[in-house]
Amino acid sequence: MLRSLVGSEMCIRDRSNNASIAAVQPSLTEMATKAVELLSADNSDGFFLFVEGSKIDKAAHPNDVASHLREILEYDNAVGAMKEWAEQDGETLIVSTSDHETGGVTLARGTMYNKDNSTAGTEAVIRVESFLNSPETPFNYAYAWYPDQLNNVTKSAELMARDAFDTVGQPWSTVVSDEVVRTQLILEAAEQVRAHSGYVLLDDEKELIEKAILTDVDSHSAHLYALRKSLGSCISRRAHIGWTTWGHTGVDVNLYSYGPGSEKLRGSMENSQVGNVIAELLDMDLAAETAKWSSDGQFHHPGASGGYSVPWPDTDLPKQAKGQPNCNSEF
């Protein structure tokens, strides 16, 4: 039995601070728990359940650190609920991992944020420590990290950006071309940050927001995404948390396992090996299963409108670890 469950679309922080969202959007833990309840009822054949904490990645792309953190905590809570169920069941294997890291999070970034209580910062908001800093900047920053600052944030950068834009009530073409309207959006964005974090944005942070607004993109969603990035950067700065990218990184990711067969998921492994191990434990012939869904060396997605095809590689999946490994431990 195969079922798929994708994580919450709305940030857990928005859900916990907005009753209307919580009324219609269950948490990842609630969805996973309900799925296990339904799949295990009157079922002697067992089941395969895929649960994704999708917003961990989605919050990291625009560097929305407060949402990123809370989505990780919610995912951890969901895994805990699944482990508790598996402990009672005694016949269930749990595997928890990631396909990649996103953002390149840097703790204690060492900035000169708001030096001497000035109204303008001395460091480019998005940049981590580097020789690109201004010449007058000394190299004796305090090794400071303030994660407690994230406790103040009660709304995701996604909703802050969306609500600021909706309040202005003008199309992006007008926002970009009309300085008065653009200034209004900057001030509305700053007010969103103040109202939902307590932070009063500095002059250079407002300048960053304006740069985001003026980004040369041609869609509503792309404009909002640029605005989200600028707000995420401003909030990350308060916690002295840096980022190296808005994309994926190549760092190793953790792999955890619990239950029958978990001893096969140990040490450093190539990510494709995880699937091979699971197939072995399920006594599944991957080649035969692949043949059911493919023809002429193409994989045909049955659910997409009209379908789509992806060519399979000529070589078999690796059976030995190579390249960057995953580090893992048992929980």
Side-chain angles (χ1 to χ4, degrees):
M1 183 177 293
L2 176 62
R3 293 291 185 271
S4 170
L5 179 64
V6 179
S8 301
E9 180 60 27
M10 196 62 68
C11 171
I12 190 67
R13 189 59 166 172
D14 298 328
R15 183 183 179 279
S16 62
N17 287 279
N18 190 318
S20 63
I21 293 176
V24 298
Q25 177 67 70
S27 71
L28 187 67
T29 302
E30 290 170 338
M31 287 191 286
T33 301
K34 186 62 176 180
V36 167
E37 175 189 328
L38 294 174
L39 291 173
S40 60
D42 300 321
N43 177 13
S44 60
D45 296 328
F47 59 86
F48 183 97
L49 174 67
F50 181 85
V51 181
E52 181 184 4
S54 61
K55 293 288 283 187
I56 296 174
D57 173 74
K58 289 184 177 180
H61 275 293
N63 296 173
D64 182 359
V65 66
S67 298
H68 183 58
L69 171 61
R70 289 182 175 87
E71 290 297 327
I72 292 172
L73 294 176
E74 173 60 18
Y75 176 79
D76 182 69
N77 190 52
V79 172
M82 296 300 95
K83 182 172 182 286
E84 182 177 341
W85 187 90
E87 287 173 343
Q88 297 296 319
D89 177 70
E91 297 181 339
T92 298
L93 169 67
I94 299 177
V95 180
S96 174
T97 191
S98 171
D99 53 344
H100 56 74
E101 192 271 347
T102 301
V105 180
T106 305
L107 306 183
R109 68 194 273 183
T111 67
M112 285 193 65
Y113 163 70
N114 201 16
K115 182 188 177 188
D116 299 327
N117 296 315
S118 67
T119 58
T122 59
E123 182 233 9
V125 183
I126 300 174
R127 192 172 62 217
V128 296
E129 175 73 343
S130 75
F131 286 101
L132 295 177
N133 280 319
S134 55
E136 72 274 10
T137 301
F139 290 89
N140 60 347
Y141 296 150
Y143 189 64
W145 180 38
Y146 305 117
D148 57 302
Q149 292 293 310
L150 302 180
N151 290 328
N152 302 325
V153 185
T154 60
K155 197 174 188 178
S156 68
E158 178 180 4
L159 281 190
M160 287 186 195
R162 184 185 307 173
D163 289 349
F165 176 79
D166 289 346
T167 299
V168 172
Q170 296 290 334
W172 281 106
S173 57
T174 302
V175 173
V176 171
S177 62
D178 190 319
E179 184 177 358
V180 174
V181 177
R182 186 164 66 252
T183 299
Q184 183 185 359
L185 179 54
I186 295 170
L187 294 177
E188 289 293 345
E191 174 57 22
Q192 284 286 326
V193 174
R194 187 206 64 76
H196 298 286
S197 71
Y199 307 145
V200 177
L201 295 189
L202 303 178
D203 292 347
D204 67 332
E205 292 168 329
K206 293 176 183 177
E207 291 173 4
L208 181 73
I209 291 174
E210 182 170 29
K211 290 178 180 178
I213 293 172
L214 292 173
T215 299
D216 186 16
V217 292
D218 57 4
S219 70
H220 170 73
S221 60
H223 274 292
L224 276 182
Y225 198 54
L227 183 55
R228 284 174 62 190
K229 288 178 178 178
S230 65
L231 297 179
S233 184
C234 294
I235 293 171
S236 295
R237 189 188 205 187
R238 294 310 201 282
H240 279 227
I241 292 175
W243 302 80
T244 61
T245 181
W246 286 316
H248 300 161
T249 67
V251 302
D252 295 346
V253 296
N254 291 350
L255 171 64
Y256 303 94
S257 61
Y258 173 84
S262 60
E263 69 281 355
K264 294 180 177 294
L265 295 163
R266 293 287 185 272
S268 297
M269 302 181 70
E270 185 77 12
N271 57 2
S272 58
Q273 288 182 286
V274 177
N276 288 338
V277 170
I278 293 175
E280 177 187 342
L281 292 172
L282 293 174
D283 194 24
M284 177 185 293
D285 186 336
L286 284 179
E289 290 298 320
T290 299
K292 292 180 182 179
W293 300 100
S294 64
S295 63
D296 302 325
Q298 301 284 313
F299 175 78
H300 299 281
H301 190 287
S305 177
Y308 64 81
S309 299
V310 179
W312 287 99
D314 294 332
T315 56
D316 293 333
L317 294 175
K319 294 182 174 58
Q320 300 295 326
K322 61 181 179 180
Q324 291 193 349
N326 296 337
C327 65
N328 67 356
S329 59
E330 186 176 21
F331 55 75

